[in-house]
Amino acid sequence: MHALVATVVHHPEDARILHRQIRALLDAGHTVTYAAPFRERGVTPWPELEAVDLPRAAGRRRVRALRAARAALAEHAPRADVLLFHDPELMLALPRRRPATVWDVHEDAAAALLTKPWMPRPLRRPLAPVVRSFERRAEGRMHLLLAEEGYRGRFAGPHPVVPNTTFVPERPARQPGHDRIVYLGHLSTARGAHELVEAGRLLRPHGVRVDVIGAADPSVRPMLRAAQQEGAVRWFGFVPNDRALRMVSGAMAGVSLLHDTPNYRHSLPTKVVEYMAHGLPVITTPTPAAEALVTGRPEGACGIVVPHGDPRAAAEAALLLRGDPGLRSRFARTGHEIAREHYHWPVQAKAFVRQLEEWARAEPGLRALTHRAPAPA
């Protein structure tokens, strides 16, 4: 099977797209053409991929990227058995002649509008019903993969769910330490960037570092740079997922301080599972899925839940873990066991590849037509 994978919004080394889905396709023996903003992100594509460089869609600057994507998809779709795209705006760039087409639904796009700093505030709520209508029309034109069970209610029909799980090592590389906490993921106001910085200020006098790994929205970058200069945090920027997880290993705790917004109420933060997978206790705000995983499992708790918007509570949770090595070890052990049993990506990888293969077999028309030998004269 030849898969054409496309994004203009996500980083080309996005964990779900590259390190999980594309890696699963390659490991299963399939070929992949990957269209993404490599150059603008400073990324060298994997040699086993056919790479197509696209402009990046960011903020209100999206038209150029969509035009380039339309041309690239029209060129490469005839050779593909399946087209897998990851940005809802790419629905505006799909070629008319295309193979089995799959939209991987990563987020609640309508709810996410409420927290997009580049979207004019007066337009955010009025545009949400438009986005919902757009999603419903898409449902009848292509296949959908959902990253969360909670997304099912947005659509009329049943669609397969491929959860955003992670690779869970058989055992963590290191035990949790005592002098740093970590945040892994994109940074924005709604994702708790301000609380992370303030927690770093509160923890610094106690000798506890706050390591922050991830790209950031333009609106919070100046704050992060200033916090780094004053020593409140160490901000590393974007780091590819495999390297980032090695950096996370051995921290005292992993932190997720999401705000109470509609887009996060139905989602399990992947970072929480990644912390657990690598033997870190978790400090999280009470988004429903995160709270249920961290403190609501029958196996026991694997971390501490703190109120939304309360950096002092987050800092106090870190100091509690620092002062109790037994609690750190118990949380780390329980979290790893839960992650290994229920959130190990290879289980989902097989289902993901099998589903794309099934859809490709069911719609072979375009590729068969494109490669049909000419009729004899």
Side-chain angles (χ1 to χ4, degrees):
M1 181 176 72
H2 184 171
L4 172 58
V5 181
T7 181
V8 292
V9 173
H10 295 276
H11 195 286
E13 294 182 306
D14 178 88
R16 178 176 174 89
I17 299 172
L18 182 66
H19 292 277
R20 297 183 192 124
Q21 294 185 348
I22 289 178
R23 181 78 270 163
L25 288 166
L26 294 173
D27 288 347
H30 300 303
T31 58
V32 177
T33 298
Y34 187 20
F38 296 103
R39 187 178 307 165
E40 288 191 38
R41 290 289 199 165
V43 170
T44 300
W46 288 354
E48 58 263 54
L49 299 172
E50 179 186 3
V52 179
D53 187 55
L54 295 176
R56 178 189 175 199
R60 301 178 192 179
R61 301 187 306 276
R62 294 175 182 258
V63 174
R64 174 171 165 263
L66 291 177
R67 285 175 177 166
R70 178 186 291 273
L73 295 180
E75 177 184 353
H76 292 277
R79 296 190 295 109
D81 299 295
V82 64
L83 166 57
L84 173 65
F85 70 94
H86 293 265
D87 322 319
E89 46 265 76
L90 281 180
M91 281 186 265
L92 301 174
L94 294 176
R96 183 169 297 178
R97 297 178 66 248
R98 61 182 189 266
T101 300
V102 183
W103 173 25
D104 188 24
V105 183
H106 288 226
E107 67 175 0
D108 186 336
L113 283 176
L114 301 176
T115 61
K116 298 294 186 186
W118 54 267
M119 177 65 67
R121 192 173 295 274
L123 295 180
R124 293 178 187 177
R125 290 190 182 279
L127 277 177
V130 177
V131 174
R132 289 277 186 251
S133 175
F134 196 59
E135 289 180 341
R136 286 192 292 271
R137 288 199 301 272
E139 187 176 16
R141 297 169 49 212
M142 62 195 68
H143 304 288
L144 271 59
L145 279 178
L146 310 183
E148 299 280 352
E149 290 284 347
Y151 294 166
R152 290 188 186 276
R154 290 158 50 194
F155 301 99
H159 302 285
V161 176
V162 176
N164 222 2
T165 56
T166 188
F167 290 94
V168 183
E170 187 173 347
R171 60 182 59 84
R174 290 186 282 174
Q175 293 299 307
H178 67 280
D179 61 354
R180 69 184 178 107
I181 63 174
V182 296
Y183 173 90
L184 173 60
H186 192 83
L187 292 137
S188 66
T189 297
R191 292 172 183 257
H194 293 271
E195 290 84 353
L196 276 171
V197 166
E198 185 57 31
R201 292 192 178 108
L202 293 168
L203 288 169
R204 185 184 177 193
H206 299 275
V208 177
R209 302 195 314 267
V210 177
D211 287 352
V212 180
I213 308 167
D217 280 357
S219 59
V220 299
R221 288 174 198 163
M223 175 194 66
L224 287 164
R225 293 190 191 104
Q228 175 148 289
Q229 289 176 353
E230 70 177 84
V233 302
R234 297 197 307 177
W235 179 33
F236 295 90
F238 179 85
V239 177
N241 190 249
D242 51 349
R243 286 171 46 204
L245 291 174
R246 290 196 294 270
M247 294 168 65
V248 160
S249 178
M252 184 170 68
V255 186
S256 175
L257 302 179
L258 296 178
H259 288 192
D260 184 20
T261 66
N263 190 33
Y264 300 141
R265 289 179 196 145
H266 306 293
S267 301
L268 173 62
T270 306
K271 63 178 64 64
V272 169
V273 178
E274 289 175 327
Y275 299 151
M276 295 164 58
H278 291 270
L280 273 63
V282 178
I283 299 172
T284 180
T285 48
T287 56
E291 183 172 23
L293 180 59
V294 170
T295 62
R297 297 279 309 188
E299 297 93 334
C302 60
I304 299 171
V305 177
V306 300
H308 293 287
D310 192 341
R312 184 169 296 278
E316 290 173 351
L319 293 175
L320 174 63
L321 290 169
R322 186 185 193 189
D324 192 337
L327 184 65
R328 288 202 307 269
S329 296
R330 186 168 72 251
F331 283 167
R333 184 171 56 253
T334 302
H336 177 263
E337 289 172 355
I338 294 170
R340 180 73 182 181
E341 181 70 22
H342 300 282
Y343 295 94
H344 191 28
W345 167 251
V347 177
Q348 302 297 334
K350 293 177 183 177
F352 162 72
V353 172
R354 188 165 55 244
Q355 182 64 77
L356 292 194
E357 291 170 341
E358 180 181 318
W359 283 332
R361 284 195 300 268
E363 300 179 40
L366 177 61
R367 184 174 169 85
L369 179 66
T370 303
H371 290 80
R372 185 179 297 163

